[in-house]
């Protein structure tokens, strides 16, 4: 699910600590002057997702402040300003198919959140 | 294009004069405007009373505190908007039919092309000697009521002459004024027109139990001086009754004087003769309402008057229309007793058969009158319980074939043989709302055109906006039609919960559920979504009032609640500290200014009498709030579906007109309910006098000071669909006011849908305002204590969310623009406009 496309070539950089994440919610982090929204779903296997913090509809950096949930089994977030919903796995907008959030590879390692390349 | 201003050629339009501005006259104008005909005519209205049209049907509400303004139907502003000239306090004194002119009080003459007489009726006063003594009054206009009220001061006993529908209304007024009340009726029973003997007898017994004494079969011969009271009424049978005040309500007579003097044809016993187009004997003159005589009949109810108004307006507009008579069935509550009368209630039709059911224990009486072949319902009498009225009326009006055993209609139901007429059995032409004449077909049309709820249908068709008696029937028709169209009226909150908000509220309460995780694992599925998470967050807050910033609640909130500020379009937030009642010290004002200056915030005064500070970035919020809290501010919950503000005027402490300390009450109310979370935001206002400077009637909870206490208004709002609040209770003391508000708000929180404002909530309550009054004032559901206790629980657990957050470093961690960097969001750029920052 969050597995890198090609694990051997991915460059992983430390983004923040696991303790910076908020369960069932999002935070924003800066990565090479790009803004990344990190969503955290704790569970038997913790899941973490990294998408662009830029809301293409609102044209503002607010995606990290979305509400997190699922719709027909797909993990999704709902933007805080105009409430568009995005599939967390694919970045696709569920309310406007031409919209898509940029995604990054991301993983948790020993309490550290690491980010890879875009996917 | 010419820039010259043209003068409207009003004088080129034909003249239409309307004499009379009662309910029917007003309805006529409304029909004229709605049909577009008003633009074709220069319309002038004579209104003899000192105020434009008002609701005479609900006149007795005036004694319960409704002001003349609340009863008003037409206002000078409305008529101006309609382009209609209304001469208030001016009486038409003569009609010259040859010259086609009407003479006004001061001799002025106005020409007409068409004339409409809507002069109504006057109360009949039996011409017995002494009928014109002091404090012998009638019950017809607002001025009459004012006289009654002043005559009642110092009086201990009052008598109503007339035991008909209006007489019993008048008796209620006297009873409400605290007088020992008697009703004197010439006929051997009450409501002789509408009821039969058994029904009349039961009604008498019931209202006697309420303290109104009934004397039937009494002919008053003379009124002279009394010994204990002002008057003595001497009856033909030798008995007498003393009283301080007499109200004559012995029927009405058509006000046809103008028609008589101008030579129009009138009936033998009065009434301006009209044809089915509502035309009088002069084709340029129409007559409508209680002054008109159609087929030898006067119609003393408002609904037939409205039908005539509609016909006359259509005629004048060149459309064909015809008045075909009217159903005189009535359903009402007299002194709290249900009374219903349908069609041929007394069985006068040749061959008619009756079935009667009387329950002396429950004090109810039902009678149906059926045709000889027992196939159609001709009439009915109901006393003590009107629950069968709708069904019986539909049988009678639409000639629906009766069941094989007609008596099953009125016998108590023991099992599934329920004969209640389902909405499906009604034909399209069945009239559901007889006040506004709305048929089932029109309701179906509204639904076909997209109406999805009772409230939608009401808005489009105006059904149930007259007396409101058809509310339950309307709902069953709407529900049934939606279902038939395959519109599954799915009340599930969302895909995660197969429950309504109300059901979830009860589950949370009863099972003591304290977190979303617990609720969804026991009663839902999946992870939740943007619909159910904030809803459940709100329910949990309403029930247990834990901090919304508690770890397990954080993911439930929309961003505004999460960060306790209002997100603006560029991702920054606005901050609104609480200013209870809009009352603020200079020192606090200065601090607001200092905060705004330090953080370069755009500052604006809000409609709720506080100050909004815009443009704060996420990481700045804690520092801003530290400054505000150090200065004594608390969070204003501008971000929450919760109590916002209690707006107020200064009230009696400063204002020469104020009659109570409205600002003090506003501060007390705001402090009481601050932090209360609800299905939607809630706004209050308190005005110190009837000038209403705080605009309380546009609020969910509006309080207006009176000489004797407070009038409470409920369920108003501004916004996209403004709605005036309804008067809920009058002259309350401080304690009762607060108790009622506690109960109303908790009942709202308990039963409303998500994001449903109080106005829509009330419109969707079956029984509307009266039902709400019953629950809150009469405690009909025996919930009052529980609701008050639940409110007390919320109030006693209040804490300022911002203060609690600042005291907890772990919670403050979330207020970072970036978790791995201290910088600002570089893309938030402001420019200066009118000396303040705004988003670029």
């Amino acid at each position: 699910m969050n597995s890198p496309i090609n694990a051997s070539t991915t460059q992983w950089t430390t983004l923040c600590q696991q303790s910076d994440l908020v369960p069932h919610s999002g935070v924003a982090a800066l990565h090479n002057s790009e803004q990344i929204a990190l969503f955290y779903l704790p569970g038997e296997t913790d899941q973490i997702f990294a998408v662009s913090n830029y809301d293409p509809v609102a044209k503002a950096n607010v995606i990290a402040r979305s509400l997190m949930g699922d719709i027909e089994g797909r993990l999704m977030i709902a933007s805080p300003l105009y409430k568009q919903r995005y599939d967390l796995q694919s970045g696709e907008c569920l309310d406007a198919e031409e919209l898509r959030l940029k995604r990054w590879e991301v993983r948790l390692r020993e309490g550290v959140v690491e980010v890879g390349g875009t996917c | 294009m010419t820039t010259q201003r043209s003068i409207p050629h009003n004088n080129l339009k034909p003249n239409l004069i309307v004499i009379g501005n009662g309910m029917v006259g007003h309805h006529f104008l409304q029909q004229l405007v709605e049909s577009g005909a008003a633009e074709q005519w220069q319309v002038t209205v004579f209104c003899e009373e000192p105020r434009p049209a008002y609701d005479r049907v609900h006149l007795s509400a005036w004694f319960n505190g409704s002001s003349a303004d609340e009863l008003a139907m037409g206002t000078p502003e409305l008529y101006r908007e309609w382009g209609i000239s209304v001469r208030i306090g001016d009486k038409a004194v003569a009609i010259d039919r040859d010259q086609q002119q009407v003479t006004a009080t001061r001799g002025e003459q106005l020409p007409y092309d068409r004339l409409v007489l809507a002069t109504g009726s006057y109360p009949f006063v039996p011409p017995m000697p002494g009928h014109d003594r002091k404090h012998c009054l009638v019950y017809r206009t607002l001025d009459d009521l004012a006289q009654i009220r002043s005559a009642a001061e110092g009086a201990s006993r009052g008598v109503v002459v007339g035991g008909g529908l209006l007489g019993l209304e008048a008796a209620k007024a006297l009873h409400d004024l605290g007088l020992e009340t008697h009703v004197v009726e010439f006929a051997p029973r009450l409501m002789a027109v509408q009821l039969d003997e058994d029904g009349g007898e039961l009604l008498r017994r019931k209202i006697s139990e309420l303290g109104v004494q009934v004397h039937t079969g009494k002919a008053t011969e003379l009124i002279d001086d009394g010994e204990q009271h002002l008057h003595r009424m001497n009856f033909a049978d030798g008995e007498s009754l003393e009283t301080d005040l007499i109200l004559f309500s012995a029927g009405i007579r058509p006000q046809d004087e103008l028609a008589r003097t101008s030579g129009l044809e009138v009936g033998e016993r009065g009434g301006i003769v009209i044809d089915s187009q509502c035309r009088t004997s002069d084709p340029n003159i129409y007559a409508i309402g209680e002054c008109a005589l159609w087929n030898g009949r006067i119609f003393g109810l408002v609904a037939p008057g409205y039908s005539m108004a509609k016909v006359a307006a259509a005629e004048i507009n060149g459309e064909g229309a015809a008045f075909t008579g009217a159903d005189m069935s009535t359903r009402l509550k007299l002194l709290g007793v249900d009374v219903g009368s349908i069609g041929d209630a007394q069985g006068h039709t040749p061959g008619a058969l009756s079935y009667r059911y009387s329950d002396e224990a429950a004090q109810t009486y039902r009678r149906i009158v059926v045709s000889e072949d027992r196939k159609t319902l001709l009439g009915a009498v109901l006393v003590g319980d009107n629950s069968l009225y709708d069904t019986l009326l539909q049988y009678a009006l639409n000639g629906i074939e009766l069941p094989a055993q007609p008596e099953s209609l009125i016998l108590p139901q023991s099992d599934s043989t329920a004969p209640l007429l389902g909405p499906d059995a009604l034909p399209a032409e069945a009239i559901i709302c007889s006040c506004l004449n709305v048929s089932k077909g029109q309701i179906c049309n509204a639904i076909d055109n997209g109406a999805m709820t009772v409230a939608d249908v009401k808005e489009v068709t105006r059904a149930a906006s007259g007396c409101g008696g058809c509310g339950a029937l309307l709902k069953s028709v709407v529900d049934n039609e939606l279902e038939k169209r395959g519109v599954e009226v799915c009340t599930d909150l969302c895909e995660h919960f197969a429950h309504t908000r109300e059901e979830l509220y009860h589950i949370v309460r009863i099972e003591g559920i304290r977190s979303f995780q617990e609720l969804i694992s026991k009663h839902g599925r999946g992870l939740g979504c943007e619909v159910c998470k904030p809803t459940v967050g709100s329910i949990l807050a309403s029930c247990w009032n834990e901090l919304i910033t508690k770890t397990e609640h954080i993911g439930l909130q929309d961003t505004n609640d999460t960060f306790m500020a209002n997100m603006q379009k560029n991702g920054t937030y606005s901050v609104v500290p609480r200013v209870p009642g809009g009352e603020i010290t200079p020192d606090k004002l200065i601090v607001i200014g200092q905060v705004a200056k330090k953080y370069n915030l755009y500052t604006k005064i809000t409609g709720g009498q506080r100050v909004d500070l815009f443009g704060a970035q996420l990481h700045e919020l804690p520092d801003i709030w530290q400054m505000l809290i150090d200065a004594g501010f608390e969070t204003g919950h501008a971000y929450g579906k919760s109590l916002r503000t209690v707006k107020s005027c200064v009230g009696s402490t400063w204002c020469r007109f104020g009659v109570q300390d409205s600002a003090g009450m506003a501060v007390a109310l705001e402090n009481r309910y601050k932090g209360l979370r609800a299905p939607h935001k809630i706004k209050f206002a308190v005005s110190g006098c009837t000038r209403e400077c705080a605009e309380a009637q546009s609020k969910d909870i509006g309080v207006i000071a009176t000489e004797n206490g407070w009038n409470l208004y409920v369920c108003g709002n501004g916004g996209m669909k403004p709605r005036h609040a309804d008067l809920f209770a009058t002259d309350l003391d401080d304690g009762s006011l607060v108790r009622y508000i506690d109960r109303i708000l908790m009942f709202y929180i308990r039963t409303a849908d998500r994001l449903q404002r109080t106005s829509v909530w009330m419109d969707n309550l079956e029984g509307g305002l009266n039902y709400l009054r019953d629950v809150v004032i009469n405690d009909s559901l025996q919930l009052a204590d529980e609701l008050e206790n639940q409110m007390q629980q919320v109030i006693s657990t209040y804490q300022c969310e911002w203060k609690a957050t600042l005291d907890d470093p772990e919670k403050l961690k979330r207020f970072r623009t970036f978790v791995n960097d201290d910088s600002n969001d570089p893309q938030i750029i402001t420019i200066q406009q009118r000396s303040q920052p705004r988003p670029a």
Side-chain angles (χ1 to χ4, degrees):
Chain A
M1 161 224 47
N2 290 311
S3 55
I5 302 157
N6 186 340
S8 58
T9 59
T10 299
Q11 292 287 313
W12 292 100
T13 16
T14 296
L15 197 57
C16 62
Q17 304 300 306
Q18 183 171 358
S19 59
D20 290 321
L21 301 175
V22 181
H24 303 283
S25 190
V27 296
L30 215 47
H31 174 59
N32 301 334
S33 79
E34 279 195 280
Q35 296 190 20
I36 295 181
L38 296 168
F39 288 91
Y40 178 37
L41 185 65
E44 279 170 31
T45 46
D46 287 342
Q47 294 183 58
I48 177 169
F49 305 89
V51 295
S52 169
N53 193 33
Y54 184 74
D55 181 333
V57 178
K59 305 201 183 337
N61 295 307
V62 296
I63 289 294
R65 287 169 264 169
S66 297
L67 195 138
M68 204 175 165
D70 70 341
I71 201 90
E72 290 164 1
R74 295 164 84 176
L75 283 170
M76 63 91 191
I77 51 173
S79 149
L81 274 169
Y82 301 109
K83 316 292 178 195
Q84 287 83 12
R85 295 167 302 172
Y86 296 92
D87 186 318
L88 261 186
Q89 319 257 18
S90 68
E92 276 173 72
C93 180
L94 304 174
D95 300 298
E97 53 182 43
E98 70 279 10
L99 299 176
R100 181 181 281 267
L101 298 179
K102 186 174 169 183
R103 291 182 302 130
W104 281 264
E105 298 170 296
V106 64
R107 68 182 182 186
L108 273 176
R109 255 175 49 141
E110 292 159 6
V112 173
V113 178
E114 293 181 337
V115 67
T118 57
C119 48
Chain B
M1 284 228 352
T2 168
T3 54
Q4 209 184 337
R5 242 187 172 175
S6 66
I7 297 161
H9 294 284
N10 278 346
N11 52 341
L12 291 185
K13 291 185 191 172
N15 291 301
L16 172 63
I17 293 183
V18 182
I19 301 178
N21 189 229
M23 295 175 79
V24 171
H26 174 77
H27 195 75
F28 171 78
L29 298 176
Q30 199 169 11
Q31 296 295 320
L32 214 57
V33 170
E34 280 175 14
S35 69
E39 288 164 26
Q40 315 300 319
W41 296 83
Q42 178 66 32
V43 186
T44 307
V45 181
F46 283 88
C47 172
E48 183 183 347
E49 282 191 58
R51 57 182 67 77
Y54 53 88
D55 184 353
R56 251 188 257 280
V57 172
H58 295 109
L59 212 49
S60 63
W62 188 81
F63 287 114
N64 300 328
S66 289
S67 65
D69 284 351
E70 279 161 295
L71 292 169
M73 304 177 78
T75 59
E77 296 77 42
L78 180 70
Y79 291 138
R80 213 171 300 133
E81 203 178 293
W82 286 356
I84 288 174
S85 150
V86 180
R87 303 167 68 106
I88 292 165
D90 195 356
K91 186 181 175 182
V93 295
I95 303 168
D96 180 338
R97 295 203 287 127
D98 296 331
Q99 299 294 316
Q100 294 194 203
Q101 283 182 338
V102 173
T103 309
T105 318
R106 281 178 224 92
E108 187 189 348
Q109 296 193 315
L110 284 83
Y112 68 81
D113 296 278
R114 293 283 186 283
L115 177 63
V116 176
L117 301 174
T119 46
S121 63
Y122 62 90
F124 169 64
V125 177
M128 64 200 56
H131 69 82
D132 48 1
R133 289 164 58 95
K134 187 182 171 198
H135 294 176
C136 290
L137 304 167
V138 295
Y139 181 84
R140 170 87 186 160
T141 66
L142 278 170
D143 288 346
D144 294 338
L145 300 198
Q147 285 192 40
I148 293 168
R149 179 179 271 179
S150 80
E153 278 168 26
S156 61
R157 184 186 285 174
V159 171
V160 174
V161 176
L165 203 151
L166 283 170
L168 295 178
E169 275 281 317
K172 174 173 190 323
L174 293 187
H175 188 64
D176 288 351
L177 285 169
L179 299 190
E180 178 195 320
T181 305
H182 295 253
V183 172
V184 171
E185 166 61 46
F186 177 75
R189 63 171 182 271
L190 292 174
M191 295 189 67
V193 180
Q194 292 91 354
L195 300 183
D196 62 358
E197 202 178 318
D198 291 350
E201 185 49 38
L202 178 58
L203 178 61
R204 170 222 284 272
R205 205 178 324 144
K206 292 189 79 129
I207 68 177
S208 300
E209 279 167 20
L210 298 167
V212 174
Q213 298 180 46
V214 179
H215 314 268
T216 50
K218 294 275 183 221
T220 313
E221 292 201 317
L222 167 72
I223 304 168
D224 57 8
D225 289 338
E227 284 169 16
Q228 310 291 325
H229 299 273
L230 186 59
H231 312 289
R232 186 178 61 209
M233 303 173 70
N234 300 286
F235 303 122
D237 59 8
E239 289 187 18
S240 66
L241 175 65
E242 293 209 359
T243 179
D244 301 301
L245 164 63
I246 299 177
L247 277 189
F248 288 104
S249 189
I252 55 160
R253 294 290 180 270
Q255 182 59 267
D256 55 9
E257 192 194 339
L258 265 179
R260 283 176 194 276
T261 54
S262 59
L264 290 175
E265 187 186 346
V266 293
E268 247 173 67
R269 290 161 60 201
I272 308 164
V273 174
I274 58 167
D275 63 13
S276 296
Q277 276 65 51
C278 297
R279 255 190 318 247
T280 66
S281 54
D282 180 332
N284 292 323
I285 304 180
Y286 295 79
I288 55 177
E290 291 177 342
C291 66
L293 184 72
W294 177 85
N295 261 2
R297 286 181 73 186
I298 297 281
F299 294 88
L301 292 179
V302 75
Y306 281 180
S307 302
M308 291 183 199
K310 203 170 175 179
V311 170
E315 274 293 310
I316 287 168
N317 199 22
E319 299 159 12
F323 178 72
T324 53
D327 172 56
M328 297 298 279
S329 302
T330 1
R331 169 211 351 227
L332 62 165
K333 237 187 175 58
L334 288 168
L335 294 146
V337 181
D338 273 346
V339 176
S341 168
I342 294 172
D344 179 10
Q346 291 157 351
H348 294 313
T349 312
L353 303 166
S354 288
Y355 297 85
R356 294 182 175 84
Y357 174 76
S358 159
D359 178 346
E360 291 192 355
Q363 295 207 348
T364 58
Y365 173 72
R366 301 164 182 167
R367 173 190 184 176
I368 51 173
V369 178
V370 305
S371 59
E372 201 170 1
D373 62 4
R374 287 176 238 178
K375 291 223 163 116
T376 44
L377 185 71
L378 301 173
V381 174
L382 298 169
V383 177
D385 174 16
N386 262 343
S387 57
L388 295 176
Y389 182 89
D390 283 330
T391 292
L392 296 176
L393 181 68
Q394 295 300 337
Y395 269 107
L397 288 184
N398 300 300
I400 296 167
E401 188 171 338
L402 288 169
Q405 275 92 38
E407 67 272 25
S408 63
L409 285 176
I410 53 169
L411 291 176
Q413 300 307 302
S414 47
D415 51 21
S416 59
T417 58
L420 280 180
L421 200 50
D424 229 7
L426 300 176
E429 56 278 10
I431 296 297
I432 304 300
C433 168
S434 51
C435 295
L436 278 302
N437 207 18
V438 181
S439 67
K440 180 182 164 191
Q442 285 167 281
I443 291 166
C444 295
N445 277 342
I447 292 170
D448 289 338
N449 290 325
M452 295 295 283
T453 62
V454 171
D456 289 350
V457 171
K458 270 189 189 174
E459 195 180 314
V460 180
T461 63
R462 289 164 56 205
S465 62
C467 72
C470 59
L473 180 62
L474 176 68
K475 183 176 185 315
S476 72
V477 170
V478 171
D479 287 352
N480 179 60
E481 289 302 317
L482 286 173
E483 201 176 309
K484 267 166 57 187
R485 282 162 181 69
V487 179
E488 199 180 320
V489 187
C490 177
T491 52
D492 293 357
L493 185 61
C494 65
E495 66 172 65
H496 303 99
F497 290 99
H499 295 284
T500 62
R501 181 195 170 277
E502 185 178 354
E503 287 162 358
L504 289 177
Y505 179 90
H506 283 287
I507 291 170
V508 167
R509 275 267 181 220
I510 289 160
E511 300 184 15
I513 288 173
R514 297 260 171 176
S515 74
F516 181 81
Q517 287 311 328
E518 186 184 349
L519 184 67
I520 202 165
S521 61
K522 286 185 180 163
H523 297 281
R525 55 179 171 269
L527 296 173
C529 66
E530 77 284 7
V531 172
C532 60
K533 281 185 160 183
T535 304
V536 173
S538 163
I539 291 173
L540 292 170
S542 294
C543 289
W544 317 122
N545 208 23
E546 295 179 341
L547 286 171
I548 56 162
T549 51
K550 220 177 148 186
T551 314
E552 58 263 48
H553 302 324
I554 284 172
L556 305 182
Q557 319 291 341
D558 281 320
T559 186
N560 289 355
D561 266 320
T562 311
F563 298 108
M564 298 177 293
N566 292 45
M567 187 186 270
Q568 302 299 326
K569 61 190 270 190
N570 62 352
T572 64
Y573 289 90
S574 83
V575 171
V576 189
R578 187 167 295 289
V579 181
E583 192 179 84
I584 188 166
T585 62
D587 283 340
K588 280 189 168 176
L589 263 183
I590 288 167
V591 171
I592 289 183
Q594 286 168 338
V595 169
K597 207 162 172 178
K598 179 167 177 190
Y599 293 93
N600 191 31
L601 304 175
Y602 167 83
T603 314
K604 192 169 189 310
I605 308 292
T606 70
Q609 300 186 330
R610 39 195 195 177
V611 187
D612 205 342
L613 311 171
F614 288 78
Q617 290 205 30
L618 188 53
H619 60 274
E620 295 174 318
L621 291 174
D623 296 339
I624 289 172
W625 271 106
Q626 192 65 61
M627 273 182 86
L628 290 169
I629 280 170
D630 288 346
F633 283 104
E634 291 183 312
T635 185
H637 295 95
Y639 45 80
K641 303 297 178 214
S642 56
L643 174 77
R644 295 288 172 84
T645 70
V646 183
K647 188 175 175 175
S648 74
C649 64
V650 285
S652 58
T653 47
W654 286 94
C655 175
R656 66 198 154 121
F657 298 119
V659 292
Q660 305 282 350
D661 176 14
S662 48
M665 178 54 81
V667 171
L669 291 176
E670 186 156 343
N671 281 324
R672 180 173 182 82
Y673 300 110
K674 65 189 174 190
L676 173 70
R677 284 191 153 75
H680 211 305
K681 63 185 171 187
I682 304 171
K683 297 181 177 183
F684 280 35
V686 184
S687 279
C689 77
T690 54
R691 282 172 184 72
E692 241 285 70
C693 297
E695 299 168 329
Q697 289 169 93
S698 64
K699 301 289 187 265
D700 298 279
I701 298 287
V703 179
I704 301 180
T706 69
E707 299 279 348
N708 308 313
W710 307 97
N711 283 356
L712 173 60
Y713 290 77
V714 297
C715 303
N717 59 252
M720 190 154 54
K721 275 193 202 160
R723 181 189 191 280
H724 271 138
D726 288 314
L727 180 63
F728 185 79
T730 57
D731 290 339
L732 299 174
D733 57 45
D734 291 6
S736 310
L737 175 71
V738 166
R739 262 197 315 280
Y740 286 177
I741 298 174
D742 277 4
R743 295 175 190 176
I744 293 165
L745 291 181
M746 263 301 159
F747 192 55
Y748 164 62
I749 288 169
R750 182 186 184 111
T751 57
D753 271 344
R754 66 179 274 271
L755 302 185
Q756 191 175 45
R757 287 295 295 265
T758 54
S759 57
V760 181
W761 166 68
M762 192 176 73
D763 283 344
N764 275 307
L765 284 179
E766 214 170 284
L769 179 67
N770 285 331
Y771 174 72
L772 187 59
R773 278 202 188 109
D774 238 23
V775 172
V776 170
I777 301 176
N778 306 328
D779 198 10
S780 60
L781 300 179
Q782 297 185 329
L783 274 180
D785 287 346
E786 190 180 329
L787 296 172
E788 283 178 40
N789 291 338
Q790 290 170 351
M791 184 62 84
Q792 195 49 53
Q793 145 91 10
V794 170
I795 291 163
S796 55
T797 50
Y798 168 81
Q799 356 177 10
C800 170
E801 293 154 0
W802 261 112
K803 185 163 190 311
T805 302
L806 292 177
D807 291 345
D808 185 342
E810 195 50 38
K811 282 180 181 147
L812 284 176
K813 272 178 63 183
R814 290 191 300 112
F815 292 85
R816 289 182 290 177
T817 297
F818 302 111
V819 290
N820 61 348
D821 199 296
D822 289 335
S823 54
N824 289 342
D825 180 345
Q827 276 153 329
I828 291 173
I829 300 165
T830 60
I831 54 171
Q832 290 294 113
Q833 184 179 54
R834 297 187 294 277
S835 315
Q836 293 209 72
R838 73 154 172 87

